[in-house]
């Protein structure tokens, strides 16, 4: 619909377009022989900007010069369409109309309310930057652009969600990111046809490869420095407006066990910590299963003295070890979930209930053996070591099938479940690229973090266009 | 989707090694010491050398048609009908080999670890997992195999450490008194223990390498590694047991592991057999994969549904497998398999190579 020459009619139609919202306001004033009418949504604008940079200059410019020359506002637009004007209004722009013209002037006067950049809460490191992404897309882009000061960094905007109009920014280094992956990614983004995007959770689910994957295939991070290191590998980062998380594709299994800390210490310690994390991941998924297998099937494998200890702890326990294990795992799960949901003043009670009531009384009442409590506690701590929340969810779910398989086939069941997990991992793809590799093929940054001097190439999963990281000079030294 | 990416040389190496080693590790050198007694390690060594000869033949054949796997060019050598027949024969052989491995290992598991589990369940579960893996792409299979390498190396360490326990060097003396005849005779059962390199016939075009010769070197080194491992095992067995004991102990390795005490593990043999299961599974899924791939080319056109073929082959093997739980029948089956495998993995490539050589001559004239 085109704008009318009469301000009155325009106001009515804009009010109609904005569903008769009560915060839609207008204000009149005249300067010289011109009658101005300002339209705005008063909850979305910054009043001082409108007063100082729109109204005041317009009042002083009575010589008939154009609005562009009069106002001191950077974001300026003109339109004749009322629908454009209504969209601008909900973004916080002020629309100016001059009585007798069909033109509408759009001036950027939006109110910016955002929290300041804080320290990361979910991904803590000892050394490294202390900035975390926040809910505002522009601030996030600013943080990342400051870290990667190169014109090579491409930022592309997409609008997703027919009704929610969520703004999504896709970032990549244009000289590194693989075109095929980029194209595939953009194709998947283009296929999304949904009215509302709960970002970035929906987005994650809508673009990933296999519905039945047990392992996360998209890395989520709130750390700009982590985003940078991934972009520098030739990967693609996705930021959504309103979310302090950045999605990174394509990633391999090992990315979820890496922490920015590994690169701040020497490679030797980095490797030790990495290996430690891998071992803990394996323990977190298999320890209860292994214990169940050992005590129910193959107590012959444990040395005699230890077997006696285990036996004495199990003496008065009526439940079979499988049920014991599942009972304790579920209890642990309850504690974990409860401690996230409870508000912080009551949160401390969880420690008392969990530690004293469940830990001690359950054993004293012979519901669960002490050995089992030790095993489950150890499993829980091992699962806390995994640096990525998404991967630690996988590590929380996987023990259950493993416990059941081990209780049926003993150690053989444990072995079979390992095979299944490895097979599942090896069959996964992200954006058409293998998700898992064994780390034996000359990959540098997998279960060990090898010295920087050996990082001659970028990681396999990013299939970067330019693969050389360290240029080797004539005499063979980097 | 079956070939997403090429194999690297390292992956080929481990794929060959882990397909070669399997159930036999536990029984070496029982079969091989029937005639040659304490000289059985020589038989095992000769078996490795024979395997090397077959690798040379296989390589020559693969090099002539370096852009295609064997089932694709089979009929180009022999003609359509014979090509189809040979593809079926090879597919059957691979299926039967996988059955053989599963059944022999299930027999060991039943006697040493899972006493009460029904036979059909052990065989069924093994086949189910192997078939699930075999339905993947060649690249995934290589990745899985490379991860299992860690378990293999762990077992290797267990064997070496525990094997150097009590023993007597005099068990080897006097060297070579059994004569050359019995030693060579016993090299034949050893020959089947080395089977696994025949996967090269299929994998050849899918290996990423600078020169084709690298493939030959890699497979030879892999075979050398396996030979070393087998000879080491027969050494350990002969070191611990005298000749009369060797002849009556079908699984010497288990006894050796059992008598060895670690402070943290009481019965090392159970741990070993459990972890070794994954290494034997490599053999099973590689053979299932091969069987399905050969089957895919039986008709002129390739059958694209690879997972379906794998599951069919696995199910057929499973249904036969539940009927060979009887030990008498099992040993007859093993004996028959030894003969057949020599014929097929050495005979068919040699025959194909000869035919293709002769054909080329004829064409040149």
């Amino acid at each position: 619909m085109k704008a009318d020459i009469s301000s009155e009619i325009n106001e009515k139609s804009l009010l109609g377009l904005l569903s008769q919202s009560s915060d839609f306001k207008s204000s009149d004033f005249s300067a010289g022989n011109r009658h101005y009418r300002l339209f705005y949504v008063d909850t979305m604008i910054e009043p001082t900007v409108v007063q100082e940079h729109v109204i005041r200059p317009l009042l002083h410019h009575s010589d008939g010069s154009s609005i562009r020359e009069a106002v001191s506002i950077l974001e300026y637009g003109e339109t004749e369409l009322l629908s454009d004007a209504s969209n601008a209004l909900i973004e916080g722009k002020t629309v100016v109309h001059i009585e007798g013209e069909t033109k509408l002037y759009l001036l950027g006067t939006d109110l910016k309310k955002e929290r300041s950049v804080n320290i990361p809460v979910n991904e803590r490191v000892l050394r490294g930057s202390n900035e975390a992404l926040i809910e505002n897309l522009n601030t996030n882009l600013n943080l990342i652009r400051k870290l990667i000061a190169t014109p090579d960094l491409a930022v592309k905007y997409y609008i997703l969600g027919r009704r929610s109009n969520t703004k999504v920014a896709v970032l990549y280094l244009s000289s590194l990111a693989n075109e095929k992956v980029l194209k595939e990614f953009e194709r998947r983004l283009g296929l999304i046809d949904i009215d509302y995007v709960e970002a970035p959770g929906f987005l994650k689910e809508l673009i990933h490869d296999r519905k039945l994957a047990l392992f996360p295939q998209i890395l989520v991070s709130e750390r700009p420095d982590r985003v940078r290191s991934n972009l520098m590998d030739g990967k693609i980062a996705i930021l959504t407006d309103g979310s302090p998380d950045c999605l990174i594709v394509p990633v391999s299994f090992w990315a979820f066990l890496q922490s920015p800390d590994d690169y701040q210490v020497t490679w030797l310690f980095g490797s030790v910590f990495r290996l430690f994390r891998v071992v803990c991941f394996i323990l977190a998924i298999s320890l209860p299963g292994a214990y169940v297998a050992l005590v129910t099937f193959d107590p012959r494998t444990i040395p005699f003295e230890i077997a006696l200890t285990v036996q004495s702890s199990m003496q008065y326990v009526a439940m079979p070890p499988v049920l014991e294990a599942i009972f304790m795992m579920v209890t642990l799960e309850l504690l974990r979930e409860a401690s996230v949901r409870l508000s912080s003043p009551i949160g401390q009670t969880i420690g008392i209930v969990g530690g004293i009531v469940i830990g001690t009384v359950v054993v004293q009442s012979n519901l669960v053996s002490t050995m089992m409590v030790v095993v489950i506690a150890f499993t829980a701590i091992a699962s806390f070591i995994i640096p990525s929340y998404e991967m630690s969810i996988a590590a929380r779910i996987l023990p259950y099938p493993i416990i059941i398989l081990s209780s049926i086939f003993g150690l053989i069941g444990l072995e079979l479940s390992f095979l299944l997990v490895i097979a599942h991992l090896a069959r996964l793809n992200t954006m058409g690229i293998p998700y898992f590799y064994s780390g034996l093929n000359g990959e540098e940054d997998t279960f060990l973090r090898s010295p920087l001097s050996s990082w001659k190439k970028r990681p396999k999963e990013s299939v970067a266009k330019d693969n050389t990281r360290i240029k080797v000079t004539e005499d063979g030294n980097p | 989707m079956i070939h997403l990416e090429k194999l690297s040389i390292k992956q080929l190496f481990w794929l060959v090694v882990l397909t070669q080693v399997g159930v036999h590790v536990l029984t070496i050198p029982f079969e091989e010491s029937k005639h040659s007694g304490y000289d059985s390690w020589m038989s095992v060594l000769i078996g490795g050398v024979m395997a090397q000869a077959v690798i040379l033949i296989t390589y020559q054949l693969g090099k002539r048609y370096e852009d295609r796997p064997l089932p694709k060019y089979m009929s180009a050598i022999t003609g359509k009908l014979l090509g189809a027949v040979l593809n079926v024969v090879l597919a059957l052989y691979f299926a039967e080999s996988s059955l053989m491995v599963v059944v022999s290992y299930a027999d060991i598991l039943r006697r040493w670890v899972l006493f009460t589990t029904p036979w059909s369940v052990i065989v069924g579960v093994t086949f189910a997992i192997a078939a699930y893996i075999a339905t993947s792409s060649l690249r995934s299979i290589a990745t899985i195999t490379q991860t299992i390498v860690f378990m293999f190396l762990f077992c290797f360490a267990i064997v070496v450490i525990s094997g150097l326990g009590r023993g007597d060097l005099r068990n080897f003396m006097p060297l070579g008194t059994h004569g050359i005849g019995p030693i060579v005779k016993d090299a034949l059962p050893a020959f089947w223990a080395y089977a696994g390199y025949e996967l090269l016939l299929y994998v050849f075009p899918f290996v990423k390498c600078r020169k084709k010769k690298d493939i030959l070197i890699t497979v030879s080194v892999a075979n050398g590694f396996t030979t070393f491992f087998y000879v080491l095992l027969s050494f350990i067995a002969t070191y611990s047991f005298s000749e009369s004991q060797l002849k009556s102990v079908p699984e010497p390795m288990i006894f050796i592991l059992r008598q060895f005490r670690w402070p943290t593990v009481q019965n090392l043999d159970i741990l070993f057999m459990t972890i070794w299961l994954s290494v034997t599974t490599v053999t099973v899924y590689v053979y299932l994969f091969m069987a399905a791939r050969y089957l895919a080319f039986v008709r002129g056109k390739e059958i694209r549904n690879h997972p379906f073929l794998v599951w069919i082959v696995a199910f057929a093997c499973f249904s036969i497998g539940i009927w060979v739980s009887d030990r008498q029948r099992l040993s007859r089956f093993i004996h028959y398999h030894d003969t057949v495998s020599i014929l097929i993995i050495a005979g068919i490539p040699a025959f194909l190579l000869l035919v293709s050589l002769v054909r080329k001559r004829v064409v040149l004239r």
Side-chain angles (χ1 to χ4, degrees):
Chain A
M1 195 162 65
K2 288 241 169 134
D4 199 78
I5 49 163
S6 144
S7 294
E8 209 59 51
I9 295 173
N10 281 338
E11 180 170 355
K12 265 202 188 123
S13 25
L14 278 175
L15 191 63
L17 282 171
L18 290 175
S19 338
Q20 316 288 337
S21 296
S22 310
D23 53 357
F24 173 68
K25 298 276 166 61
S26 67
S27 109
D28 288 291
F29 57 92
S30 17
N33 49 2
R34 274 188 186 170
H35 284 284
Y36 296 104
R37 185 167 281 205
L38 262 55
F39 304 111
Y40 54 89
V41 177
D42 73 342
T43 49
M44 294 299 294
I45 58 156
E46 179 80 60
T48 48
V49 173
V50 181
Q51 287 157 16
E52 293 295 317
H53 303 289
V54 180
I55 301 178
R56 190 201 290 260
L58 284 178
L59 286 173
H60 288 283
H61 270 263
S62 45
D63 54 355
S65 57
S66 75
I67 294 230
R68 175 72 275 196
E69 284 163 19
V71 296
S72 46
I73 296 268
L74 179 65
E75 223 183 317
Y76 171 86
E78 291 175 9
T79 182
E80 293 198 337
L81 292 175
L82 281 168
S83 56
D84 281 357
S86 68
N87 282 337
L89 280 171
I90 52 172
E91 282 168 15
K93 286 180 181 148
T94 303
V95 175
V96 179
H97 182 246
I98 304 171
E99 186 72 49
E101 287 185 20
T102 54
K103 239 184 211 165
L104 293 167
Y105 303 91
L106 314 175
L107 307 172
T109 55
D110 47 321
L111 177 67
K112 291 197 172 66
K113 271 267 186 270
E114 58 184 65
R115 65 182 169 106
S116 55
V117 175
N118 266 332
I119 54 168
V121 262
N122 300 326
E123 289 166 78
R124 299 248 292 265
V125 293
L126 291 174
R127 295 264 177 279
S129 93
N130 262 332
E131 280 177 338
L133 298 175
I134 62 163
E135 284 80 0
N136 188 289
L137 184 62
N138 291 343
T139 313
N140 290 346
L141 285 173
N142 175 278
L143 286 175
I144 293 170
R145 273 219 191 262
K146 264 194 290 187
L147 284 177
I148 310 179
T150 161
D152 210 14
L153 178 67
V155 178
K156 273 190 186 168
Y157 287 133
Y158 291 85
I159 304 289
L160 292 182
R162 280 196 307 271
R163 282 178 203 281
S164 67
N165 288 329
T166 313
K167 204 168 173 187
V168 173
V170 176
L171 283 79
Y172 55 91
L173 286 180
S174 52
S175 64
L176 287 185
N178 186 290
E179 265 142 18
K180 266 190 198 157
V181 178
L182 208 59
K183 206 173 254 176
E184 170 66 20
F185 174 73
E186 278 169 354
R187 187 185 67 85
R188 287 187 197 180
L189 218 52
L191 282 181
I192 297 177
D193 181 28
I194 192 166
D195 63 337
Y196 157 63
V197 181
E198 176 73 59
F202 278 18
L203 209 61
K204 224 160 72 179
E205 215 174 306
L206 288 167
I207 58 174
H208 80 172
D209 289 68
R210 278 259 287 276
K211 275 191 189 125
L212 279 174
L214 286 173
F215 293 94
Q217 285 163 292
I218 295 175
L219 185 68
V220 183
S221 180
E222 56 168 359
R223 300 184 60 90
D225 55 342
R226 206 170 186 191
V227 175
R228 169 182 59 179
S229 67
N230 279 297
L231 283 175
M232 286 298 187
D233 281 344
K235 292 172 190 171
I236 306 168
I238 305 126
L239 288 166
T240 33
D241 205 7
S243 148
D245 294 316
C246 179
L247 306 183
I248 295 159
V249 284
V251 286
S252 76
F253 172 76
W254 301 107
F256 294 90
L257 298 176
Q258 295 165 351
S259 158
D261 263 343
D262 299 349
Y263 310 104
Q264 304 292 345
V265 291
T266 50
W267 70 271
L268 200 62
F269 297 114
S271 293
V272 171
F273 292 140
R274 180 74 56 78
L275 199 60
F276 196 63
R277 250 175 259 141
V278 174
V279 170
C280 280
F281 178 74
I282 297 171
L283 276 184
I285 63 172
S286 64
L287 195 63
Y291 176 74
V292 169
L294 282 177
V295 297
T296 42
F297 267 80
D298 305 291
R300 302 165 283 166
T301 330
I302 328 172
F304 190 61
E305 294 77 17
I306 300 176
L308 277 185
T309 321
V310 173
Q311 209 261 330
S312 70
S313 85
M314 288 172 58
Q315 208 165 17
Y316 301 107
V317 178
M319 272 204 276
V322 204
L323 288 185
E324 257 184 284
I326 290 177
F327 173 73
M328 277 314 282
M329 290 292 288
V330 171
T331 316
L332 182 74
E333 220 47 54
L334 290 180
L335 281 175
R336 243 188 256 195
E337 194 61 23
S339 59
V340 175
R341 303 291 153 231
L342 267 184
S343 63
S344 50
I346 329 170
Q348 291 157 0
T349 21
I350 280 291
I352 300 166
V353 176
I356 299 171
V357 179
I358 295 179
T360 320
V361 182
V362 154
V363 172
Q364 276 171 5
S365 57
N366 284 331
L367 269 172
V368 173
S369 66
T370 34
M371 224 30 148
M372 185 58 86
V373 176
V374 173
V375 166
I376 299 297
F378 205 77
T379 314
I381 292 171
S383 75
F384 293 150
I385 286 178
I386 301 161
S388 150
Y389 171 66
E390 276 73 24
M391 190 51 97
S392 73
I393 296 178
R396 278 160 70 173
I397 303 301
L398 272 176
Y400 296 95
I402 294 184
I403 290 173
I404 290 168
L405 259 179
S406 316
S407 73
I408 300 173
F409 295 108
L411 282 178
I412 298 275
L414 188 68
E415 182 67 29
L416 292 179
S417 41
F418 272 138
L419 276 182
L420 279 178
V421 170
I422 294 170
H424 176 71
L425 271 176
R427 288 163 64 108
L428 286 179
N429 287 312
T430 51
M431 305 279 153
I433 298 160
Y435 175 68
F436 180 75
Y437 37 90
S438 61
L440 283 180
N441 265 336
E443 293 96 352
E444 286 90 17
D445 201 12
T446 52
F447 59 94
L448 293 178
R449 166 244 196 266
S450 52
L452 267 180
S453 56
S454 70
W455 290 20
K456 302 221 163 58
K457 291 204 171 135
R458 286 175 210 290
K460 254 189 189 171
E461 76 268 10
S462 58
V463 278
K465 275 194 280 191
D466 174 14
N467 225 343
T468 26
R469 197 141 40 177
I470 296 177
K471 279 216 173 101
V472 181
T473 48
E474 292 283 304
D475 54 346
N477 290 322
Chain B
M1 283 303 279
I2 295 164
H3 311 289
L4 221 63
E5 197 184 292
K6 284 194 164 190
L7 299 181
S8 74
I9 284 284
K10 273 184 200 163
Q11 283 175 324
L12 177 69
F13 175 82
W14 287 115
L15 203 59
V16 171
V17 169
L18 291 196
T19 315
Q20 282 190 309
V21 300
V23 213
H24 244 72
V25 165
L26 295 169
T27 59
I28 271 185
F30 176 65
E31 297 277 331
E32 290 78 12
S33 63
K34 279 199 173 127
H35 304 95
S36 57
Y38 52 77
D39 284 329
S40 57
W41 61 273
M42 292 189 205
S43 308
V44 174
L45 194 62
I46 292 174
V49 175
M50 283 159 66
Q52 185 57 41
V54 180
I55 289 176
L56 282 176
I57 297 175
T58 311
Y59 170 72
Q60 289 300 333
L61 182 62
K63 207 178 66 174
R64 298 181 75 83
Y65 301 88
E66 56 181 22
D67 56 331
R68 282 171 291 173
L70 174 65
K72 254 190 195 168
Y73 62 76
M74 184 83 89
S75 40
I77 300 178
T78 59
K80 259 197 182 145
L81 183 67
L82 191 57
V85 170
L86 280 181
N87 269 343
V88 173
V89 168
L90 277 171
L92 280 179
Y93 165 72
F94 283 123
E96 186 246 25
S97 291
S98 71
L99 172 65
M100 162 78 211
V101 174
V102 168
V103 168
S104 356
Y105 205 70
D107 181 51
I108 288 172
L109 283 183
R110 179 180 54 172
R111 279 182 294 126
W112 293 92
V113 188
L114 300 169
F115 309 110
T116 45
T117 316
W119 174 259
S120 56
V121 173
I122 306 181
V123 175
V125 168
T126 324
F127 264 123
I129 287 181
Y132 171 65
I133 298 178
T135 52
S136 334
S137 66
L138 191 59
R139 192 212 70 87
S140 299
I141 286 182
T143 310
I144 297 165
T145 313
Q146 250 187 340
T147 317
I148 294 176
V149 165
F150 291 107
M151 304 181 192
F152 171 72
L153 293 178
F154 182 69
C155 289
F156 193 93
I158 292 183
V159 166
V160 171
I161 294 168
S162 60
L164 302 175
R166 277 171 298 165
D168 199 340
L169 270 181
R170 277 172 297 176
N171 285 343
F172 291 99
M173 298 297 162
L175 270 182
T177 36
H178 289 84
I180 205 86
I183 292 178
V184 173
K185 213 178 203 178
D186 273 354
L188 287 179
F191 180 74
W192 129 250
Y194 286 99
Y197 45 81
E198 66 269 26
L199 70 92
L200 186 62
L201 284 174
Y202 180 79
V203 167
F204 199 93
F206 307 116
V207 181
K208 188 172 61 188
C209 58
R210 277 195 216 102
K211 293 186 304 257
K212 288 292 161 197
K213 196 139 206 186
D214 289 352
I215 297 180
L216 177 65
I217 294 169
T218 310
V219 178
S220 304
V221 172
N223 187 49
F225 182 79
T226 315
T227 314
F228 163 72
F229 184 52
Y230 280 173
V231 171
L232 183 77
L233 285 175
S234 39
F235 250 87
I236 289 172
T238 322
Y239 180 59
S240 315
F241 295 111
S242 69
E243 182 170 330
S244 49
Q245 283 170 318
L246 270 185
K247 286 192 172 163
S248 50
V249 178
E251 285 110 13
M253 210 54 231
I254 298 180
F255 285 93
I256 293 169
L257 289 170
R258 181 152 280 193
Q259 69 174 348
F260 191 81
R261 289 269 148 82
W262 271 12
T264 42
V265 187
Q266 184 96 356
N267 285 20
L268 211 52
D269 55 324
I270 293 179
L271 194 68
F272 180 84
M273 278 186 275
T274 307
I275 301 176
W276 198 253
L277 172 69
S278 51
V279 181
T280 49
T281 316
V282 175
T283 317
V284 181
Y285 65 65
V286 168
Y287 280 150
L288 280 180
F289 179 83
M290 293 295 166
R293 290 310 291 156
Y294 276 92
L295 216 54
F297 290 98
V298 164
R299 290 183 313 175
K301 247 173 79 187
E302 183 186 349
I303 302 168
R304 304 293 301 182
N305 197 345
H306 174 64
F308 175 70
L309 284 177
V310 170
W311 283 109
I312 284 209
V313 172
F315 186 75
C317 288
F318 165 69
S319 355
I320 301 168
I322 32 182
W323 299 109
V324 279
S325 64
D326 177 35
R327 290 214 75 204
Q328 295 289 322
R329 217 181 281 173
L330 197 66
S331 72
R332 269 210 305 277
F333 177 44
I334 292 173
H335 187 72
Y336 147 82
H337 179 85
D338 284 357
T339 334
V340 169
S341 64
I342 292 168
L343 271 179
I344 290 188
I345 57 180
I348 290 187
F351 167 71
L352 288 176
L353 185 64
L354 265 178
V355 172
S356 72
L357 280 174
V358 169
R359 278 205 155 187
K360 204 174 180 191
R361 283 274 161 77
V362 172
V363 170
L364 280 179
R365 262 182 211 168

